Amino acid sequence: MRRAVYPGSFDPVTLGHLDIIGRAARLVDELIVGVLVNSAKTPLFSVEERVSMLAEVTKDIPNVRVEAFSGLSVDFAKECSARMIVRGLRAITDFEYELQMAQTNRIMAEDIDTLFLTTNLKYAYLSSTTVKEVAFYGGDISHFVPETVIGPVFRRMAERKQKGKF
Ligand code: PNS
């Protein structure tokens, strides 16, 4: 059984993430998307919301499941009995951070490899942060996120603005 994990924040999931998920899923028997419970950042969406949005947008890919995780990605991979960590590489700016993470992970778990997939050029400069910024100013995010994610992003932005949290 060839199993991989794809860890990330997914706050929110973008079309770039979805592209990586679809392509990685074709390379393995099972792909487990791991949503990081990240206490250091204040995410727009709770981990449960992020898991649920990802589960919705990947529901037609039978060998993908979505789980929340906390702690190290290599420990999550081990818990899932996965030997691969998938990461998307958008542009050269990602490279240093990703290489540092992959090398650190390799020292911690030498039997787990990081598999880098280059992001579709269409999404090379897309990030969850960009999506949030565009949405904050009322811009069109339909080219950046799956359709089911658009409403939740604008609703949450409106709530946050109302509470004066921006
Ligand atoms: O979507 P992101 O925010 O780029 O994903 C980053 C993520 C979740 C893959 C990374 O921060 C991570 O693996 N965090 C868990 C802690 C860990 O394992 N760090 C790697 C050692 S440097």
Side-chain angles (χ1 to χ4, degrees):
M1 182 83 158
R2 200 191 296 262
R3 203 179 271 132
V5 294
Y6 176 30
S9 307
F10 306 105
D11 185 45
V13 57
T14 67
L15 291 175
H17 294 132
L18 201 53
D19 170 59
I20 297 291
I21 292 171
R23 284 162 50 215
R26 287 199 289 273
L27 300 174
V28 295
D29 298 306
E30 187 174 31
L31 179 71
I32 302 139
V33 181
V35 182
L36 182 68
V37 181
N38 190 349
S39 53
K41 290 184 193 170
T42 311
L44 190 62
F45 293 103
S46 70
V47 71
E48 292 80 10
E49 290 169 326
R50 285 178 276 149
V51 167
S52 144
M53 283 189 280
L54 268 157
E56 170 64 27
V57 299
T58 57
K59 65 176 194 283
D60 294 331
I61 315 174
N63 62 334
V64 171
R65 64 186 160 95
V66 187
E67 282 184 17
F69 81 100
S70 53
L72 295 172
S73 286
V74 286
D75 289 339
F76 176 60
K78 282 181 199 164
E79 278 160 30
C80 296
S81 305
R83 298 277 302 273
M84 267 185 280
I85 293 177
V86 171
R87 292 287 291 167
L89 269 185
R90 288 168 299 189
I92 193 76
T93 42
D94 280 341
F95 188 74
E96 198 167 336
Y97 169 66
E98 291 296 336
L99 188 65
Q100 184 183 26
M101 207 156 57
Q103 297 291 20
T104 309
N105 285 341
R106 187 136 178 84
I107 293 169
M108 292 191 289
E110 63 179 6
D111 53 342
I112 296 176
D113 276 303
T114 301
L115 177 72
F116 289 112
L117 293 182
T118 49
T119 303
N120 186 319
L121 259 188
K122 259 201 304 196
Y123 309 126
Y125 290 94
L126 175 58
S127 69
S128 299
T129 306
T130 312
V131 168
K132 286 181 273 195
E133 182 154 343
V134 173
F136 179 81
Y137 293 108
D140 178 7
I141 58 169
S142 64
H143 297 293
F144 308 140
V145 297
E147 212 182 322
T148 51
V149 173
I150 300 172
V153 169
F154 281 116
R155 275 196 292 279
R156 183 56 47 85
M157 280 288 169
E159 284 166 21
R160 290 274 174 100
K161 278 184 185 174
Q162 229 169 20
K163 288 181 187 158
K165 284 203 176 164
F166 279 114

